Amino acid sequence: MPDDLTAAELRILDAVERAGSFSAAASMLGLTQSAISHAVRATERKLGAVLFERGRHGARPTAAGTRAVSHGRGVLRLLEVLHADTRAASGGELSTELRIAAFRSAAAQLLPPAFRRLTTKHPGLSYDVAIVRDVGGGTAAEVVAGRADLAIVNLPHRLGPETRLVGGTLVDEPYVLIHPAGAGDPRSLPVVDWPENCSAETKTWFRSQDWLPPATITVTDDTVLLAMVAQGMGMAVVPRTVAADRAPTVAVADLGPDAPRRTIGYLATPELARSTAVRELVHELRTQHAQRSATSTNNHLPGPPDETATPGLWREPDHPTASHP
């Protein structure tokens, strides 16, 4: 078709959206500003829509521009996947970059061991990991925008069915209580919380616990929460994966069989979900969780046991045998 867009035009749309102006996009791509402007105008004529609002602020994508950039990134990525998967299927090395969006605790605990094993099998793979807070559209929005091939998410994700994402479960884990070791009854301490620590299930559970006071310290990052607890500032109820990053001075207590749970999963577009690199990574993530679950007797965290049992809570065993997911 005479109005087909070229890969070069799609790369220019991507650069303008990322850079925020024609001049910055030109610098990014090694082109002149007039060449960028001409290419964008030509693309707008082909699509029959204004893609960027121009002004002193630079270039901001319109609603049509946002959609065009997202689809354009998907097309460019599929062209890369076409080359990588074709080479691998013909006996060559799987060589491509996997772009992953993940919230911090999942990125820290789940991805490194999976990358290590995957790189052994496919040394030509490289990885670009974006840490995205689990608020609003979270990591799933990065996949929708075409900035990531795979999102590690808390399920269910918050985006609507119109996003056409596919995925599955990777880890199902309980929440645990963390508190300063040797602090006695942690229920006498203030509660430390952070905005990502919420779902419909956990909110219901929190409200049902009359022993748990309202949060008195709120932070925007779970690493800060862990530091607060390590300094004796309070206690917190967090997913087990978050607690895995705790300092030796932080103790963990099981919340029992009625503890809230968190499901960690993955999402991708249907097209990228079928790519070899994404399928290989998902396989490694699921395999490592299955192996750790099989070697776990009580599904407890490693690390120092609680010095004293917490009234009304389950005590961590003296000799935990499992590692965290």
Side-chain angles (χ1 to χ4, degrees):
M1 292 178 60
D3 288 339
D4 280 353
L5 299 180
T6 67
E9 288 171 326
L10 297 180
R11 292 190 182 94
I12 287 172
L13 295 185
D14 172 62
V16 172
E17 193 276 338
R18 290 180 187 275
S21 72
F22 287 6
S23 59
S27 178
M28 181 187 301
L29 297 176
L31 300 172
T32 64
Q33 181 173 340
S34 61
I36 296 292
S37 180
H38 174 78
V40 171
R41 286 197 302 271
T43 302
E44 290 175 328
R45 284 195 299 270
K46 290 180 181 181
L47 294 177
V50 176
L51 303 181
F52 293 96
E53 295 177 352
R54 288 84 153 169
R56 290 191 302 174
H57 57 264
R60 295 177 180 172
T62 62
T66 297
R67 186 64 60 89
V69 168
S70 175
H71 284 309
R73 286 173 179 156
V75 170
L76 292 171
R77 183 58 181 146
L78 286 177
L79 288 173
E80 295 171 358
V81 168
L82 184 154
H83 287 286
D85 281 12
T86 301
R87 286 194 303 268
S90 64
E93 183 179 274
L94 179 60
S95 179
T96 189
E97 181 182 68
L98 258 173
R99 305 172 305 161
I100 300 140
F103 51 91
R104 191 210 61 83
S105 59
Q109 296 299 321
L110 303 183
L111 294 180
F115 286 172
R116 183 179 64 249
R117 291 191 301 272
L118 196 55
T119 299
T120 299
K121 294 167 57 179
H122 303 289
L125 286 178
S126 60
Y127 311 95
D128 181 357
V129 180
I131 305 302
V132 180
R133 295 181 64 209
D134 186 35
V135 293
T139 58
E142 296 299 296
V143 171
V144 173
R147 290 186 289 265
D149 304 329
L150 181 80
I152 306 296
V153 300
N154 284 315
L155 295 176
H157 70 92
R158 304 177 182 89
L159 302 182
E162 69 277 2
T163 57
R164 293 181 59 248
L165 299 181
V166 299
T169 299
L170 296 173
V171 176
D172 179 67
E173 62 177 358
Y175 276 64
V176 295
L177 182 138
I178 58 174
H179 61 90
D185 185 354
R187 291 180 295 186
S188 63
L189 298 171
V191 171
V192 185
D193 200 7
W194 92 108
E196 294 177 72
N197 199 23
C198 289
S199 70
E201 179 183 359
T202 57
K203 286 180 180 178
T204 299
W205 184 88
F206 271 70
R207 286 194 297 266
S208 70
Q209 305 303 305
D210 55 9
W211 61 272
L212 193 64
T216 57
I217 303 175
T218 302
V219 298
T220 58
D221 186 273
D222 56 352
T223 57
V224 179
L225 177 147
L226 291 170
M228 292 282 187
V229 176
Q231 291 297 318
M233 298 294 294
M235 62 171 173
V237 176
V238 298
R240 188 178 63 180
T241 301
V242 173
D245 289 332
R246 72 193 189 278
T249 55
V250 175
V252 177
D254 194 324
L255 292 170
D258 296 326
R261 303 188 69 84
R262 176 171 79 166
T263 301
I264 300 175
Y266 73 93
L267 292 171
T269 63
E271 297 79 14
L272 287 177
R274 293 192 292 268
S275 69
T276 303
V278 168
R279 287 189 289 109
E280 289 280 310
L281 176 58
V282 170
H283 173 74
E284 290 297 336
L285 289 168
R286 284 178 163 168
T287 298
Q288 77 183 27
H289 179 61
Q291 291 172 342
R292 288 174 174 177
S293 296
T295 58
S296 174
T297 56
N298 290 306
N299 213 24
H300 286 289
L301 287 163
D306 290 340
E307 296 180 0
T308 59
T310 303
L313 301 174
W314 293 58
R315 180 175 176 175
E316 187 175 13
D318 290 338
H319 301 287
T321 58
S323 61
H324 53 75

